[in-house]
């Protein structure tokens, strides 16, 4: 009987270790497992050119998703990031084009000025959403859904429904340049990730973000200005959405009014798949980065295999539902 109990205890201990491992490294394991499978089914997948292409395509969603992570950690949501990216991209390109489509006197302006104006548009958009959420206590879903429509309408009005082409080479540099052989958008993603990782893990503001999402009442009682924290995370989300929109416009060579459509879904998917809880207070940008990489690798792998692009949406939806179910199960265990 004693030996049986010992064996049972060992099995339970092993199961607990496995569960803890999956909680900590499950997303990383899933990513590498997906890469290994695709490397066997496609000879082209592990080529340097394809890997660089996947990382370049992931950079846009990765930047968006990192901003989304801050918002979701505080129990919020930002459905407007795709439209804000389009609006910021259109405004920025209007300052960096040789054409007169946008009617900006004296264009083109220096690329840095064009980028700064685009980032300002994103910050204003995020600030408006954050202010309404915090001051008027309107649910984030409703506020950002309204901003999604408003920003898209402003994009169409500003550009007259037409694309803005003929961008200056200096502006396109952010989307097409390479540094020591690495595309600049990838380096931008790495930089944004590094800063976000440091902020969330090693700063007072990062601790306040987790506290606000974990228990807003307790955070308020401990002296944290919850409204300020929530406003700042929407500013971060808006600013990074603008950066993603500028990168996208620079890479494609024109400001497109239809840019960013459904990008908010990919960003939310990356965050949720990466393990950040929709209930707030749990998660981080490391998981988000791997979530974005999984989506990018999955899309690339299905393209290489000639699978209908519509199936990509199905697989992505199943991953989101599975990730949310897993999060619900974890929270159920915690309670």
């Amino acid at each position: 009987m004693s030996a049986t109990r010992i064996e049972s205890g060992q099995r339970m201990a092993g199961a607990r270790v496995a569960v803890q491992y999956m909680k900590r490294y499950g997303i990383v394991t899933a990513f590498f497992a997906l890469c290994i499978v695709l490397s066997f089914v496609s000879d082209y997948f592990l080529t340097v050119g394809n890997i660089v292409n996947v990382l370049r395509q992931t950079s846009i969603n990765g930047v968006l998703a990192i901003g989304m992570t801050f918002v979701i950690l505080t129990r919020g949501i930002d459905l407007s990031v795709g439209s804000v990216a389009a609006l910021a991209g259109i405004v920025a390109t209007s300052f960096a084009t040789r054409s007169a489509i946008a009617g900006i006197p004296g264009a083109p302006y220096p690329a840095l000025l064009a980028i700064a104006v685009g980032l300002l548009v994103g910050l204003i958009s995020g600030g408006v959403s954050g202010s309404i959420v915090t001051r008027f206590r309107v649910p984030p879903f409703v506020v950002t859904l309204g901003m999604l429509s408003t920003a898209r309408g402003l994009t169409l009005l500003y550009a007259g429904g037409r694309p803005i082409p003929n961008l200056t080479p200096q502006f396109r540099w952010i989307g097409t340049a390479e540094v020591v052989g690495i595309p600049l958008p990838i380096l931008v993603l790495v930089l944004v990730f590094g800063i976000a990782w440091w902020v969330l893990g090693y700063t007072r503001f990062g601790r306040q973000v987790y506290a606000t999402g974990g228990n807003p009442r307790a955070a308020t009682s401990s002296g944290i200005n919850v409204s300020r924290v929530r406003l700042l995370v929407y500013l971060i989300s808006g600013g990074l959405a603008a950066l993603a929109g500028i990168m996208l416009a620079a890479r494609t060579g024109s400001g497109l009014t239809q840019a960013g459509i459904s990008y908010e879904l990919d960003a939310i998917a990356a965050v949720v798949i990466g393990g950040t809880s929709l209930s707030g207070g749990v998660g981080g940008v490391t998981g988000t980065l791997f979530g974005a990489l999984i989506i990018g690798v999955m899309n690339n792998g299905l393209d290489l295999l000639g699978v209908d692009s519509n199936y990509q949406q199905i697989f992505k939806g199943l991953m989101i539902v599975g990730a949310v179910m897993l999060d619900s199960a974890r929270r159920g265990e915690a309670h």
Side-chain angles (χ1 to χ4, degrees):
M1 181 66 70
S2 176
T4 303
R5 289 181 178 178
I6 292 174
E7 184 178 347
S8 176
Q10 289 175 340
R11 285 198 298 266
M12 292 178 63
R16 285 194 294 268
V17 170
V19 170
Q20 290 299 320
Y21 174 85
M22 291 307 295
K23 285 182 178 180
R24 290 188 177 185
Y25 307 110
I27 185 67
V28 180
T29 303
F31 169 70
F32 284 108
L34 180 60
C35 290
I36 291 171
V37 171
L38 289 175
S39 68
F40 279 107
V41 298
S42 173
D43 294 335
Y44 184 71
F45 177 75
L46 279 184
T47 61
V48 174
N50 188 59
I51 292 173
V52 171
N53 183 49
V54 170
L55 293 176
R56 184 188 287 112
Q57 292 177 346
T58 301
S59 62
I60 304 296
N61 186 36
V63 170
L64 282 173
I66 288 171
M68 186 72 72
T69 303
F70 279 86
V71 175
I72 291 180
L73 281 173
T74 61
R75 299 191 181 187
I77 197 76
D78 191 350
L79 301 176
S80 68
V81 292
S83 296
V84 171
L87 178 59
I90 281 289
V91 173
T93 53
S94 70
F95 280 80
T97 180
R98 296 192 180 95
S99 65
I101 291 177
I104 302 298
Y109 288 89
L112 287 178
L113 176 61
I115 292 171
V117 172
L119 292 175
L120 180 61
V121 169
L123 291 172
I124 291 173
S125 301
V128 169
S129 295
S131 296
I132 296 174
V133 168
T134 56
R135 292 190 178 185
F136 299 98
R137 309 299 181 187
V138 182
F141 181 92
V142 176
V143 174
T144 57
L145 183 62
M147 180 57 73
L148 178 153
S149 181
T150 300
R152 184 64 61 181
L154 289 173
T155 301
L156 294 168
L157 285 173
Y158 187 86
R162 298 184 297 271
I164 299 179
N166 301 322
L167 305 183
T168 61
Q170 292 77 14
F171 182 85
R172 293 204 63 192
W173 184 83
I174 190 174
T176 59
E178 293 186 356
V179 178
V180 296
I182 303 174
L184 187 58
I186 298 175
L187 296 177
V188 171
L189 172 60
V190 172
L191 177 62
V192 170
F193 166 77
I195 293 173
W197 177 80
W198 176 75
V199 168
L200 286 176
Y202 296 96
T203 68
R204 181 181 179 185
F205 174 68
R207 293 190 292 272
Q208 291 176 343
V209 168
Y210 282 104
T212 298
N215 192 326
R217 291 185 179 179
T220 301
S221 299
S222 63
I224 295 174
N225 188 335
V226 171
S227 294
R228 175 179 171 273
V229 172
R230 286 176 172 162
L231 174 60
L232 287 175
V233 297
Y234 281 98
L235 283 169
I236 292 171
S237 182
L240 290 180
L243 176 60
I246 292 167
M247 291 166 59
L248 178 62
R251 194 179 76 187
T252 58
S254 63
L256 303 174
T257 56
Q258 71 271 28
I261 292 177
S262 297
Y263 277 28
E264 60 278 352
L265 301 182
D266 282 350
I268 293 171
V271 176
V272 173
I273 291 170
T276 296
S277 174
L278 291 172
S279 299
V282 176
V285 292
T286 301
T288 294
L289 179 62
F290 277 98
L293 287 171
I294 284 177
I295 292 174
V297 167
M298 182 194 70
N299 291 341
N300 177 259
L302 293 177
D303 286 339
L304 292 177
L305 296 175
V307 178
D308 190 324
S309 61
N310 293 322
Y311 286 107
Q312 297 178 13
Q313 302 301 319
I314 296 174
F315 292 144
K316 194 182 304 177
L318 291 175
M319 285 195 298
I320 295 172
V321 173
V324 173
M325 290 174 63
L326 182 61
D327 176 57
S328 298
R330 284 198 299 259
R331 286 189 286 112
E333 291 175 0
H335 292 298

